[in-house]
Amino acid sequence: MRECARRSSLPFLSRRIKYSMAKSSKLTQIQNLLFGRPLATSEERAEHIGPIAGIPIFGLDALSSAAYGPEAALTLLIPLGMLGVRYIVPVSGAIVILLAIVYFSYRQTIEAYPKGGGSYTVASENLGANAGLLAASALMIDYILTAAVGISAGVGALISAVPSLHPYTLQLCLGVLLVLTIVNMRGVHDTGVVFMIPTYLFAGTLLIVIGVGAWHAIGGHAVPVTPLPAMPMATAVLGPWLLLKVFSSGCTAMTGVEAVSNGVMAFRDDTRKNAKITLTIIIVLLAILLIGIALLCKAYGVGATDPNGAQYESVLSMLTRAVMGHGWFYYLTIGSVLLVLALSANTAFADFPRLTRAIAGNNYLPHVFLLRGRRLLYSWGIYVLVALTALLLILFGGVTDRLIPLYAIGAFMAFTLSQAGMVVHWRRKGKSAGRMAMNGLGAVATGVTTLVVLVAKFAEGAWITALLIAVMIVLMRSVKTHYTRVAKETALDRPIAPAEIVEPIVVLPVDQWNRITEKALSFALSMSNDIRCLHVQIADEPDKICQIWEKDVAAPLRKAGKCVPKLEVLNSPYRYVLQPVVEYVLKVEKESDLRKVCVLVPELVVRHWWENLLHNRRADLLKVILLLRGNQRIVVVNIPWYLKRD
Amino acid sequence: MRECARRSSLPFLSRRIKYSMAKSSKLTQIQNLLFGRPLATSEERAEHIGPIAGIPIFGLDALSSAAYGPEAALTLLIPLGMLGVRYIVPVSGAIVILLAIVYFSYRQTIEAYPKGGGSYTVASENLGANAGLLAASALMIDYILTAAVGISAGVGALISAVPSLHPYTLQLCLGVLLVLTIVNMRGVHDTGVVFMIPTYLFAGTLLIVIGVGAWHAIGGHAVPVTPLPAMPMATAVLGPWLLLKVFSSGCTAMTGVEAVSNGVMAFRDDTRKNAKITLTIIIVLLAILLIGIALLCKAYGVGATDPNGAQYESVLSMLTRAVMGHGWFYYLTIGSVLLVLALSANTAFADFPRLTRAIAGNNYLPHVFLLRGRRLLYSWGIYVLVALTALLLILFGGVTDRLIPLYAIGAFMAFTLSQAGMVVHWRRKGKSAGRMAMNGLGAVATGVTTLVVLVAKFAEGAWITALLIAVMIVLMRSVKTHYTRVAKETALDRPIAPAEIVEPIVVLPVDQWNRITEKALSFALSMSNDIRCLHVQIADEPDKICQIWEKDVAAPLRKAGKCVPKLEVLNSPYRYVLQPVVEYVLKVEKESDLRKVCVLVPELVVRHWWENLLHNRRADLLKVILLLRGNQRIVVVNIPWYLKRD
C-alpha cells in the first residue's frame, strides 16, 4: 500500500514507472496475458523460426500483392475493352521475369549477409553512407505505406462485401492495426503461428482455383460457371505511355520481396538455408499466382471493372466464381483474400523494427531503436510504425487509395541500391563473376523499373515520396552529427586523474531547525568540511533559525570536534526564495576554481498525491533551476524525508 | 542563448521557471506592464490607502447592492399590485435599522481588531475553532458567489440595454473577470485608483436622482417625466410568509458590509480611524440610497416588472427616467449602475485572499495562501477565486440568476458569528457592558435574519450552501490534521547529534569509461571510501567496462594511495537496466544498519529540447523510482554533464 501511495504522488510518470518496476502488479498480469511473459535473452533461440512460420511473417506482403497487382494493371487496361485483357499475359510475364531476377539476386544477398542483408545494410556497406541513407529512407517510407495501404485495402474489400459496415471504416482499420500490434508484440514466434492459417488458406484456395481453371482451359471448355459482367467497348488503343503505366502498376505486386533478406537472423539453425528456402517458396508461389491469374483472365475473359462504379467487383472475385461457381468455396477464397490483405501490413511490422535498429546502430536514428523489449523485439520500432500508420489512417479516414502512387517507388529504389551494392560486394571479394553478373542484371532491371515507376507516377504523388526521402536523409544526418559530437565530448582515453579528487563545497538551504534539517546537515557533515547553510530571510517574517543556531548546531559540533558549518543569512526584500539561493550557488561556483559545489535539497515525500497540494514544490523547482542554470561543477543532492505510515 | 536552450529542455516547467528566475526577460517586461513592477516588502506603506480609495475597494459590493436589493424585494411584491409598492418603505426601513445595528457592531470590531477582524478571526478567537471554520466556509462561498453573481448581473444589465450582445454573454463575463484580475494583481493601491471614478459616479448620480425626486415629492408634484408602465392588478394579499420572503430578499442589500473590518490592515497611518471613516461613509451612503429609493418608488408609483417578461425594465431605470427624463443624465446614471454592478465582484478580490491567508495561517488551508506575490498580494487567493468564479460562470453560461438563492445565507451567518464572537470578546475583557450590549443586539438581529433567510430560501437552494459549508469544514479539518502530523514528525527540540555523522556508502551506476563516468567517480571518491560501481551487463551485449577497469581506474587510484572502488557486475537476463540497480540499492540499504546509501546518477544536459529524443531518460526515471521506492537513508545525487556550445 505504501508503494502505491508514493507512486501516485507523481501521477504523470506512473505508467512508465509501473512498466519498469512492477513485477507482479495487475498491469503486468494483463501485459503477460496480452503480449506473453518477458523473454530472457537466452531464450532467443526458441524464438527463431523455420520456413513454415517464415512464409506468413515475411511473405504476407509479397503474396497478398497477387490480389492487387494484376487488378491494378487490368484497371488501366479497361479503356482497351476486350483486347486489353490479352495484354495482361505479356505484362505479367515481364513482371515474373523481373521477379526471377530479383529472386536470384536476393538469394546471393542472403548468402553474403547471414546477419541480415537489407538494402540499407548492403547499400551502406558497399556504396557508402549516403546510398545507405537513401535506401533506408525509401524503405522506411515504403513500410509505413505498406502497413496503412494493406490494412485499408483489406477493410475496403470487407466493406465492398458488407456495405453496412461503411460508416465504421476508420474504426475497422484501427481495430486491425490494434490486433496486428498485439500479435506482433508477442514476438516473432507467436506471430508466425497466428498468421499461418490465413496465409496457407489464401495460397491454397487460389492455387485450387488456378488449377481447376487451367484444367478447364486446357480442355478447351473455359466457360464461366456464373455469368460475368459484359466487357466495355474499346475507347483507346495501346500506346507506349499506357504500357509503361500498366507495367509500373503491375510492379506493385513485387513489393515485400526484400523482407526475407532483411530478417535472416530470425531463422533458426542454418539461418541462410532456411531463409533461402522461405524466399524460394514465396517467390515460386507468387510467380504461379501472377501467371495463373493472368492466363485465366485471358481464358475466361475477365477484365477489371471501374473501381468507382456501382457495379465494381474485384478481379479475383470474378475469376473465382467464373471457375468455381458461387458456392461455399467462393466465400472461403474471398474470405481468405480479405484476411491476407488486411494482415499484409504484418510484413512491415516484421521488418520496420529491424531496419530502424540497423540504422540506429550506425547512429543515424535515436538509440532507443536499439533497445530490445520484453519479448526480444525492438519495441520502439513497432511503436513508431504503429503511431505513423495510425496517423495516416486517421488523416485519410481509413481510405488510403490516394497513397498508392507513393508506394512502389520506395521498394524499387531499395531493390536497385541493394543489387548495386551486391555488385560492389562481389567485386571487392574479387571472385564469382557470375554472381556479380547476376546482381548486376538485377540492379539494371530494377533500376530501369524504378525510373519507369518514377516517371509514370511522378505527377500522381511519387514526387512526395522523393521529397520525404530527402527530408529523412537530412534528419538522419543531423542525428548522426549529434551523436558524434556527444561521443567526442565525453570520450576519455586516459585513466582517472586522482589529483582532481577534491572535497566539495556543500551548500544547504535551511528554513528552520527540524528533523529534515538535521538529516541534511548530518549528511553534509559526512561529505565535507566546508559547509554553507543558507537561510533566506524574508523581510517581515520572524527569524526561525539564527537564534537557535549557536545552541543547537554550532556548540554541539564544536564540542564533538567536528567542523562547524557557516550560517549565511540572505535578505530577500522581494520575498523571492529560490532566486537568492540560486544566485549564491552560482557565486560560490565562480569563486572556487576547482572544487565542486554540492547543493543539498531536502524534500518531503508524501504518501498521497493530494498531500502535494499542501506543500510547496520549491525543492523540485530548485532542482530544475539548478540543472538549467548550473554547470559542470554544480551537483544536486536530494535528501528525501518520508512521512510515516498512519 | 545558452540559458534559453537549457531552459527549453524541460518545457513543461518553463513557465514556472521563467516566473521565478527571469529578471529582465520579455515575459517579465510584459508582466511589469500589466501588473506593475515587483514591490519590495519595505514598500508596503506606500501601498496603504485612505478612505477615498477605501470606499471603491471595500464598498463596491455593499453600495452596488442598492441596485438589486430593493428590486429583489419589489419583484416579490408584484402580485400585490399598486398596494405592494407601499410596503417597500417599511421593509427598507427595517433593513436600514438592521444595517445600523450591524454598522455599530462592526465599528467596535474594527476598534478591537486593528490587524483585521473578519468574521473568521473574531469567531475563531472567541467562539473556538469550529465556529471559526463555520464562518470561514460561509464567507469563502459567499465571496465566490459575490464575484460570479456581480459580474453576471452587470453583464446582464448591459445585455438588456444592448440586446445584440446577447450571444456573447459568457465571453463578456469572462472579459470582465479578466479585467478585474489584472487590475487586482496590480495591488491594493492601484485598484482603488482605478475603481474610484465609477464608484463615485454611481453614488453621485443616484444621490442627485434621489435629491431631485425628493424635492418634487415634498413639493407635492411627483409626476413622472416620461410615462411608466401600468401597475398590474392585485392577485394576492400580504401574508406573513410573503413578508418574510420580501424581507429576506431585500437583505441581499446588506452583503459586503463586513469587507472593511476584514481589511483594516490595508489602511494607512491610523488604520482604525481610516477604516471606521470608510465604513461610516459606505453605510451612510447605502442607507440613504435604500431609503431614498423606497420613498421615491412609493411617491412615483414605481413597481418592479416581471424579470422574465418582454417588457422588463429595472426599478432604477424607471425611477431615473421618472424623475430626470430620458436624456443624457439618464444614460450617465444607468451606465454607472452597470459598471458598478460588474465591478462589485471586486470586493471579493479584495477580501477573499485576506480571508484565505488568515485561515492558512491557522493551518486549515494550504500554506501557499500565505505567500505574498510580487505586488505584495496573497496571489494564490486571487488565483483560486478567479478559477472558481470562472468555473461558475462557465457552468452557468454567464447567467447566474439561479445562484442568487445560495447567496445571502453565507453573509448573514458570518455576520452572526462575528457579532456573537464580539460579545464574548467584550465579556473576556471584563468591561464596556454597553459595547457588549451593542454587539449582542447585532448578533440577535443578524441571527434572526439568518434564520429567516435560511427558512425562506431553503428549498430554493440555500440547502446547497449549507451542504457546501459542511464539506468545506471537513476538508479544512483534514488539512489541519495533515499539517499537525507533519509538524509532529519533523519537529526536533534537541541539538544536532554529532555521533550520527557517518560516511555514506556510495553507489554509482557505470555504463562505460568516459568523461561522465570519470566526473561521477571523482565526486564519489571525494565523498566516501566505500564506493560500489554498478555495471548492468545485458546478455549478448559486449562488455564495455570490465576489461579496462583495472588499467584505467583501479591501478591509478591504488598508485595514488586512494581508495579503490569495487566494480559490481549485475547480469540482466531480461535486459532491464533500472530494476537491477534499484534492487541492489535497496539490498545495500537493508544490509547497512546506520549508514546512508548515496546513489550517484550521472545525466546528460542537452542544449535543445529535441536532443532529449536522442537520449534515453533513464537518469530521470531512476531518480523518480528511487524517490518512490526509497526511504530515509537513500539519497540521490545528480551529476549533470553539460554539452558544450557549438
Side-chain angles (χ1 to χ4, degrees):
Chain A
M1 285 320 290
R2 195 188 184 191
E3 294 308 326
C4 236
R6 289 218 195 119
R7 192 176 300 152
S8 58
S9 69
L10 276 156
F12 64 94
L13 268 164
S14 58
R15 234 174 320 148
R16 292 210 294 175
I17 294 158
K18 276 170 193 159
Y19 176 75
S20 62
M21 63 188 249
K23 268 179 140 179
S24 58
S25 70
K26 269 187 192 158
L27 199 113
T28 312
Q29 286 169 13
I30 296 171
Q31 229 180 1
N32 286 346
L33 196 74
L34 271 180
F35 307 124
R37 64 173 179 82
L39 291 174
T41 310
S42 56
E43 293 174 278
E44 172 121 51
R45 279 183 56 80
E47 275 294 292
H48 285 171
I49 53 172
I52 295 176
I55 291 167
I57 290 179
F58 296 109
L60 260 176
D61 184 20
L63 290 175
S64 71
S65 54
Y68 55 80
E71 166 131 15
L74 279 167
T75 302
L76 289 174
L77 290 169
I78 294 177
L80 301 185
M82 193 79 89
L83 213 68
V85 176
R86 298 198 179 175
Y87 294 116
I88 192 64
V89 177
V91 168
S92 289
I95 292 170
V96 168
I97 291 169
L98 191 57
L99 191 62
I101 295 171
V102 170
Y103 164 67
F104 284 108
S105 304
Y106 271 122
R107 270 186 76 96
Q108 296 189 168
T109 308
I110 292 170
E111 190 64 42
Y113 287 90
K115 299 217 160 188
S119 301
Y120 169 68
T121 312
V122 175
S124 56
E125 282 192 13
N126 296 301
L127 303 176
N130 286 331
L133 290 182
L134 187 60
S137 325
L139 271 177
M140 278 192 281
I141 291 168
D142 196 54
Y143 280 133
I144 293 161
L145 289 172
T146 301
V149 171
I151 291 172
S152 83
V155 170
L158 176 65
I159 282 165
S160 78
V162 191
S164 62
L165 290 174
H166 190 265
Y168 309 107
T169 309
L170 180 57
Q171 285 90 327
L172 285 169
C173 285
L174 294 178
V176 173
L177 181 62
L178 184 69
V179 170
L180 283 173
T181 309
I182 291 174
V183 170
N184 275 283
M185 290 296 284
R186 294 187 66 96
V188 176
H189 186 260
D190 288 8
T191 311
V193 172
V194 170
F195 291 153
M196 231 176 253
I197 295 174
T199 311
Y200 290 120
L201 198 65
F202 170 85
T205 49
L206 281 187
L207 285 178
I208 290 172
V209 171
I210 290 168
V212 172
W215 176 258
H216 287 306
I218 290 165
H221 39 273
V223 183
V225 180
T226 55
L228 293 171
M231 289 292 235
M233 298 302 291
T235 57
V237 292
L238 187 67
W241 178 242
L242 182 59
L243 191 63
L244 222 62
K245 286 176 76 170
V246 170
F247 176 73
S248 66
S249 282
C251 277
T252 53
M254 285 183 57
T255 56
V257 166
E258 93 131 36
V260 177
S261 67
N262 203 12
V264 183
M265 281 287 278
F267 289 94
R268 75 167 152 254
D269 302 333
D270 186 348
T271 55
R272 277 181 273 196
K273 196 180 129 211
N274 276 320
K276 279 198 275 186
I277 293 173
T278 307
L279 181 65
T280 308
I281 298 173
I282 292 170
I283 298 292
V284 168
L285 270 177
L286 179 57
I288 293 174
L289 292 179
L290 289 177
I291 288 294
I293 289 167
L295 285 173
L296 289 193
C297 280
K298 193 182 162 199
Y300 281 81
V302 172
T305 52
D306 179 7
N308 301 314
Q311 303 295 317
Y312 171 73
E313 186 178 356
S314 73
V315 170
L316 277 188
S317 166
M318 287 187 280
L319 206 61
T320 308
R321 67 185 176 82
V323 174
M324 308 297 290
H326 211 228
W328 65 268
F329 191 83
Y330 167 80
Y331 288 105
L332 187 68
T333 310
I334 296 306
S336 73
V337 170
L338 299 194
L339 212 53
V340 160
L341 272 177
L343 301 182
S344 68
N346 195 64
T347 304
F349 278 88
D351 263 13
F352 186 84
R354 288 172 209 278
L355 175 63
T356 48
R357 192 215 93 92
I359 305 171
N362 289 338
N363 296 328
Y364 283 107
L365 278 182
H367 284 167
V368 77
F369 289 112
L370 295 176
L371 300 179
R372 301 181 85 178
R374 45 203 299 292
R375 293 289 285 184
L376 285 164
L377 298 160
Y378 303 105
S379 318
W380 279 91
I382 296 186
Y383 303 155
V384 168
L385 176 67
V386 170
L388 291 175
T389 306
L391 185 72
L392 278 183
L393 287 173
I394 290 168
L395 279 181
F396 287 84
V399 182
T400 54
D401 290 355
R402 272 183 290 166
L403 296 179
I404 290 177
L406 313 185
Y407 192 17
I409 173 90
F412 274 94
M413 201 176 271
F415 286 164
T416 312
L417 287 164
S418 161
Q419 307 304 325
M422 287 308 295
V423 173
V424 176
H425 174 84
W426 297 127
R427 204 177 58 193
R428 280 191 191 154
K429 293 250 163 184
K431 54 175 178 178
S432 43
R435 287 176 170 175
M436 203 167 109
M438 188 68 242
N439 280 123
L441 180 62
V444 172
T446 50
V448 170
T449 314
T450 309
L451 277 178
V452 168
V453 173
L454 190 61
V455 169
K457 298 199 171 177
F458 192 80
E460 283 175 72
W463 65 272
I464 300 176
T465 311
L467 194 70
L468 276 178
I469 288 174
V471 171
M472 295 283 299
I473 292 176
V474 170
L475 278 180
M476 289 193 289
R477 294 178 69 96
S478 66
V479 168
K480 172 85 165 191
T481 308
H482 175 83
Y483 280 128
T484 310
R485 200 164 61 81
V486 172
K488 212 175 118 193
E489 280 188 30
T490 61
L492 189 63
D493 52 3
R494 57 163 178 78
I496 192 167
E500 281 175 20
I501 301 162
V502 197
E503 194 182 60
I505 299 170
V506 174
V507 175
L508 168 63
V510 293
D511 181 37
Q512 53 187 350
W513 181 241
N514 57 21
R515 283 178 193 278
I516 305 176
T517 309
E518 191 203 26
K519 178 184 177 183
L521 195 56
S522 294
F523 189 78
L525 287 160
S526 76
M527 278 184 77
S528 171
N529 286 316
D530 186 351
I531 300 168
R532 332 269 174 98
C533 290
L534 278 194
H535 178 63
V536 177
Q537 180 63 51
I538 290 174
D540 259 24
E541 287 191 1
D543 164 69
K544 283 184 280 189
I545 191 102
C546 301
Q547 288 164 9
I548 55 108
W549 188 259
E550 175 60 29
K551 178 176 76 69
D552 281 347
V553 181
L557 289 174
R558 208 176 290 120
K559 208 173 138 196
K562 305 266 179 185
C563 107
V564 177
K566 220 158 80 179
L567 178 67
E568 306 246 17
V569 177
L570 305 174
N571 284 310
S572 176
Y574 290 92
R575 301 168 301 285
Y576 296 119
V577 175
L578 299 183
Q579 196 175 297
V581 173
V582 173
E583 273 163 17
Y584 182 88
V585 170
L586 294 176
K587 199 188 76 183
V588 168
E589 186 272 331
K590 206 170 272 172
E591 286 167 5
S592 67
D593 263 357
L594 252 169
R595 295 161 69 189
K596 291 204 179 60
V597 178
C598 186
V599 186
L600 267 50
V601 181
E603 64 182 316
L604 201 70
V605 182
V606 296
R607 296 161 313 142
H608 308 286
W609 68 264
W610 58 265
E611 291 174 327
N612 278 323
L613 300 176
L614 305 183
H615 300 279
N616 61 57
R617 309 306 298 156
R618 277 199 194 123
D620 291 340
L621 212 51
L622 181 60
K623 286 190 277 181
V624 172
I625 296 175
L626 284 173
L627 186 70
L628 297 180
R629 294 190 62 187
N631 57 40
Q632 301 290 31
R633 289 196 292 119
I634 294 175
V635 163
V636 172
V637 182
N638 306 310
I639 314 276
W641 178 273
Y642 293 89
L643 287 178
K644 286 188 199 121
R645 276 196 245 200
D646 288 317
Chain B
M1 283 322 289
R2 195 189 184 190
E3 293 309 326
C4 237
R6 288 219 196 118
R7 193 176 298 153
S8 57
S9 69
L10 276 156
F12 63 93
L13 268 165
S14 57
R15 234 176 317 150
R16 292 209 294 174
I17 294 157
K18 276 169 192 159
Y19 177 75
S20 63
M21 64 189 249
K23 267 178 141 180
S24 58
S25 71
K26 268 187 194 159
L27 199 110
T28 311
Q29 286 169 14
I30 296 170
Q31 230 179 0
N32 286 345
L33 197 72
L34 270 181
F35 307 125
R37 64 176 179 81
L39 291 174
T41 310
S42 57
E43 292 173 278
E44 173 122 51
R45 277 183 57 79
E47 277 292 293
H48 286 170
I49 53 171
I52 295 178
I55 290 168
I57 290 179
F58 296 110
L60 260 175
D61 184 20
L63 290 176
S64 70
S65 55
Y68 56 80
E71 167 131 14
L74 280 167
T75 303
L76 290 174
L77 291 169
I78 294 176
L80 303 185
M82 194 79 88
L83 213 67
V85 176
R86 297 196 180 175
Y87 294 116
I88 192 66
V89 177
V91 168
S92 288
I95 292 170
V96 168
I97 291 169
L98 191 58
L99 191 63
I101 295 170
V102 170
Y103 163 67
F104 285 107
S105 305
Y106 271 122
R107 270 185 76 95
Q108 296 187 169
T109 308
I110 292 170
E111 190 64 40
Y113 287 90
K115 298 215 160 189
S119 303
Y120 170 69
T121 312
V122 175
S124 55
E125 283 192 13
N126 297 300
L127 304 176
N130 286 330
L133 290 181
L134 186 61
S137 328
L139 272 177
M140 278 192 283
I141 291 168
D142 195 53
Y143 280 133
I144 294 161
L145 289 171
T146 301
V149 171
I151 291 173
S152 83
V155 170
L158 175 65
I159 283 163
S160 78
V162 191
S164 61
L165 289 175
H166 189 266
Y168 308 107
T169 309
L170 180 58
Q171 286 89 329
L172 285 168
C173 286
L174 294 177
V176 173
L177 181 62
L178 184 68
V179 170
L180 283 173
T181 310
I182 291 174
V183 170
N184 274 283
M185 291 296 284
R186 296 187 65 96
V188 176
H189 187 260
D190 288 9
T191 311
V193 172
V194 169
F195 290 153
M196 231 178 253
I197 295 174
T199 310
Y200 291 118
L201 198 65
F202 170 82
T205 49
L206 281 188
L207 286 179
I208 290 174
V209 170
I210 288 169
V212 171
W215 176 258
H216 287 306
I218 290 164
H221 42 274
V223 184
V225 179
T226 56
L228 293 171
M231 291 292 235
M233 298 302 292
T235 58
V237 290
L238 189 65
W241 177 242
L242 182 59
L243 191 65
L244 222 62
K245 286 177 77 171
V246 170
F247 177 73
S248 67
S249 283
C251 277
T252 53
M254 286 182 56
T255 55
V257 166
E258 92 131 36
V260 177
S261 68
N262 203 12
V264 183
M265 281 288 278
F267 289 94
R268 76 167 152 254
D269 302 333
D270 185 348
T271 55
R272 277 182 271 197
K273 198 179 125 207
N274 275 320
K276 280 198 275 183
I277 293 173
T278 307
L279 181 64
T280 307
I281 297 174
I282 292 171
I283 297 293
V284 168
L285 271 176
L286 180 57
I288 293 175
L289 292 179
L290 289 177
I291 287 293
I293 289 168
L295 286 172
L296 288 193
C297 280
K298 191 183 166 200
Y300 281 82
V302 173
T305 52
D306 178 8
N308 301 314
Q311 302 296 317
Y312 171 73
E313 187 178 354
S314 73
V315 169
L316 278 188
S317 166
M318 286 186 280
L319 207 61
T320 308
R321 64 185 177 84
V323 174
M324 308 297 289
H326 210 230
W328 62 269
F329 191 83
Y330 167 80
Y331 288 105
L332 186 69
T333 310
I334 297 306
S336 73
V337 170
L338 299 195
L339 211 54
V340 160
L341 273 178
L343 301 182
S344 70
N346 195 64
T347 304
F349 278 88
D351 263 13
F352 186 84
R354 287 174 210 277
L355 174 64
T356 47
R357 192 215 92 91
I359 306 171
N362 289 337
N363 296 327
Y364 283 107
L365 277 182
H367 285 167
V368 77
F369 289 112
L370 296 175
L371 301 180
R372 302 182 83 178
R374 46 205 299 291
R375 294 289 284 182
L376 287 164
L377 298 160
Y378 302 107
S379 319
W380 279 91
I382 295 186
Y383 302 156
V384 168
L385 175 67
V386 170
L388 292 175
T389 306
L391 185 72
L392 279 183
L393 288 172
I394 290 167
L395 280 181
F396 288 84
V399 182
T400 54
D401 290 357
R402 272 184 289 167
L403 296 179
I404 290 177
L406 312 185
Y407 192 16
I409 173 92
F412 273 94
M413 200 176 273
F415 285 165
T416 312
L417 288 164
S418 161
Q419 306 304 325
M422 287 307 295
V423 174
V424 176
H425 174 83
W426 297 127
R427 204 177 58 190
R428 280 190 190 156
K429 292 252 164 182
K431 55 175 179 176
S432 43
R435 287 177 169 174
M436 205 167 107
M438 188 69 243
N439 280 123
L441 180 64
V444 172
T446 50
V448 170
T449 314
T450 309
L451 277 177
V452 168
V453 173
L454 191 62
V455 169
K457 298 198 170 178
F458 192 80
E460 282 174 72
W463 65 271
I464 301 176
T465 311
L467 194 71
L468 277 180
I469 287 175
V471 171
M472 293 284 299
I473 291 176
V474 171
L475 277 182
M476 289 194 289
R477 292 179 70 97
S478 67
V479 168
K480 172 87 166 192
T481 309
H482 175 82
Y483 279 128
T484 310
R485 199 166 61 81
V486 172
K488 211 175 119 194
E489 279 188 30
T490 62
L492 190 63
D493 53 3
R494 56 162 179 79
I496 191 165
E500 282 176 20
I501 301 161
V502 197
E503 195 182 58
I505 300 168
V506 174
V507 175
L508 168 63
V510 292
D511 181 37
Q512 54 187 351
W513 181 241
N514 58 22
R515 284 178 192 277
I516 305 177
T517 309
E518 191 205 24
K519 178 184 177 182
L521 194 56
S522 294
F523 189 79
L525 287 161
S526 75
M527 277 184 76
S528 172
N529 287 316
D530 186 350
I531 300 169
R532 330 268 174 96
C533 290
L534 280 193
H535 179 63
V536 177
Q537 180 63 52
I538 291 174
D540 259 24
E541 286 191 3
D543 163 69
K544 283 185 280 189
I545 191 103
C546 301
Q547 289 163 9
I548 55 107
W549 187 257
E550 175 60 29
K551 177 177 76 70
D552 281 346
V553 180
L557 287 173
R558 207 176 291 119
K559 209 173 136 195
K562 306 267 181 186
C563 106
V564 177
K566 220 158 80 181
L567 178 66
E568 307 247 16
V569 177
L570 305 175
N571 283 310
S572 176
Y574 291 92
R575 303 167 301 285
Y576 296 119
V577 175
L578 298 183
Q579 196 174 297
V581 173
V582 173
E583 274 163 15
Y584 181 88
V585 170
L586 292 177
K587 199 189 75 185
V588 167
E589 187 272 331
K590 208 171 271 173
E591 286 166 4
S592 66
D593 261 356
L594 252 171
R595 295 161 71 188
K596 291 202 178 62
V597 179
C598 187
V599 186
L600 267 49
V601 181
E603 65 183 314
L604 200 69
V605 183
V606 297
R607 297 161 312 142
H608 308 287
W609 67 264
W610 59 265
E611 291 173 328
N612 279 322
L613 299 176
L614 305 183
H615 300 280
N616 62 57
R617 309 306 299 155
R618 276 198 195 124
D620 291 339
L621 212 50
L622 181 60
K623 284 189 279 180
V624 172
I625 296 175
L626 284 173
L627 186 69
L628 298 180
R629 294 191 61 186
N631 58 41
Q632 301 289 31
R633 290 195 293 118
I634 294 175
V635 163
V636 172
V637 182
N638 306 309
I639 313 276
W641 179 272
Y642 293 89
L643 288 178
K644 286 189 201 121
R645 275 196 246 201
D646 286 317

